Amino acid sequence: MASQQHLDKMQLRQNYRNVWHTDLTHTIQNDPPYCCLALWCGPCVSYMLRKRALYNDMTRYVCCAGYMPCSGRCGESRCPEFCLATEVFLCFGNSVASTRFMLQDEFNIQTTQCDNCIIGFMVCLQQVACIFSIVAMIVGSDELSEASQILSCLSDMVYCSVCACMQTQHKIEMDKRDGKFGPQPVMSVPAVQQMSRLDQQYPPTAGYPAPAYGQPNYPPPGGYPPAGYPPAGYPPAGYPPAGYPSAGYQR
C-alpha cells in the first residue's frame, strides 16, 4: 500500500507545472559561497535545509520525510534533532532527496529535463563504478582494478558536486519562499495622506496634481461665490413676464 502511494506521488510529481527558481547548471553561478559550503559540509547543510523546510518546527519531522519504509519508526517524536542528525550523516543521499521531494510537493515543482539528465548521469555512473569494482574483484586483473578505482573516484566527485548543487537549489527556492529576494509583496504600507482641517478654505489637493501654470485654482481664494456675482441688474426688469406661467399649469 505504501509503495503504491509512493508511485502515485512520483506520477503526480511529473505533472507539476512550476519549475525551480534556478536549475542545477546555474546554482554555482547564483550562489557560489553556499554551493562551496554544501560541497565541503554536506551533512550540516542538509540538516539546516531540512529544518528550514519544516519551518523550524521539528515536531513535524519524520525520518526521510516519510518517503522511506523506516519513516515514522525511528522514535522521531521523542528526539527529532538527534534523528535528523543521524539521518543526514548515515543516509546523506536520502536526506537530500527527501528535502527535494518535500519542496516539490509543497510548491508543485517539476524537475526539468536538464536536471533529470544530470541526476540520471550521477546514478548511472555510480552503478557502473560498482559493477566495475565487482568485476575487478572477481577477475583479479590489476589493470581492471585500477580502472575501477578511477571510475569510483570520478563517481564520488560527480555525486558530491551534484548533491551540493541540489542543496543550493533548495536553498534558493526557500529564499524565494521566504521573500528574501524578488519583488516586494503587493500588500505594502500606504503612503502618508494629509487630512483637511476646518480652518482651511478648501481641502488640500492630496493625491492630485497641482494646477498647471495659467490655470486658476478652484474654488477661488476669496470664497465662493466670488465678489460681484451675480452682476448688478440681474435678473433684468420685467422678468419673468406677466402671466407666466399660464393659468392651470401644475408641476
Side-chain angles (χ1 to χ4, degrees):
M1 185 65 181
S3 301
Q4 185 62 37
Q5 291 179 354
H6 293 163
L7 291 176
D8 293 340
K9 284 186 177 180
M10 292 177 63
Q11 185 67 28
L12 181 63
R13 206 172 287 127
Q14 295 177 359
N15 299 325
Y16 289 159
R17 292 293 179 263
N18 297 329
V19 296
W20 296 98
H21 188 76
T22 179
D23 55 10
L24 292 178
T25 58
H26 293 87
T27 51
I28 191 171
Q29 177 183 351
N30 292 334
D31 200 340
Y34 199 88
C35 193
C36 294
L37 176 64
L39 179 63
W40 298 106
C41 302
C44 299
V45 171
S46 182
Y47 183 97
M48 293 186 296
L49 290 177
R50 177 65 64 78
K51 188 175 181 180
R52 185 178 174 186
L54 294 171
Y55 297 90
N56 296 321
D57 184 8
M58 292 302 293
T59 59
R60 301 170 53 191
Y61 169 75
V62 179
C63 181
C64 295
Y67 297 104
M68 298 298 291
C70 62
S71 301
R73 304 177 182 179
C74 302
E76 299 95 328
S77 59
R78 294 191 297 271
C79 191
E81 290 83 3
F82 177 77
C83 291
L84 178 57
T86 304
E87 175 190 338
V88 299
F89 278 100
L90 299 183
C91 306
F92 172 70
N94 288 337
S95 68
V96 175
S98 300
T99 302
R100 186 178 187 84
F101 294 153
M102 285 181 60
L103 295 176
Q104 286 186 279
D105 293 339
E106 181 178 0
F107 302 114
N108 295 335
I109 300 175
Q110 63 173 335
T111 302
T112 62
Q113 295 295 328
C114 180
D115 288 359
N116 281 329
C117 290
I118 294 175
I119 297 172
F121 173 75
M122 174 192 69
V123 175
C124 291
L125 189 60
Q126 288 179 328
Q127 300 297 326
V128 171
C130 180
I131 294 174
F132 264 70
S133 299
I134 295 174
V135 172
M137 180 181 61
I138 295 175
V139 175
S141 174
D142 294 338
E143 293 80 6
L144 192 59
S145 178
E146 184 177 355
S148 66
Q149 291 178 3
I150 295 175
L151 191 58
S152 297
C153 182
L154 179 62
S155 173
D156 293 340
M157 292 175 59
V158 172
Y159 172 77
C160 293
S161 59
V162 171
C163 285
C165 292
M166 289 176 64
Q167 294 192 97
T168 307
Q169 187 182 50
H170 303 164
K171 183 258 185 185
I172 294 174
E173 193 66 31
M174 283 188 280
D175 286 345
K176 176 185 175 182
R177 178 196 71 182
D178 299 336
K180 292 190 175 182
F181 59 88
Q184 296 296 325
V186 177
M187 298 297 292
S188 59
V189 179
V192 178
Q193 298 181 356
Q194 183 180 3
M195 298 179 63
S196 61
R197 301 179 310 186
L198 296 178
D199 58 347
Q200 290 179 335
Q201 297 178 358
Y202 52 92
T205 56
Y208 295 90
Y213 179 77
Q215 294 181 355
N217 289 325
Y218 290 97
Y224 190 85
Y229 184 86
Y234 186 85
Y239 184 85
Y244 183 84
S246 58
Y249 175 78
Q250 295 182 358
R251 292 188 176 182

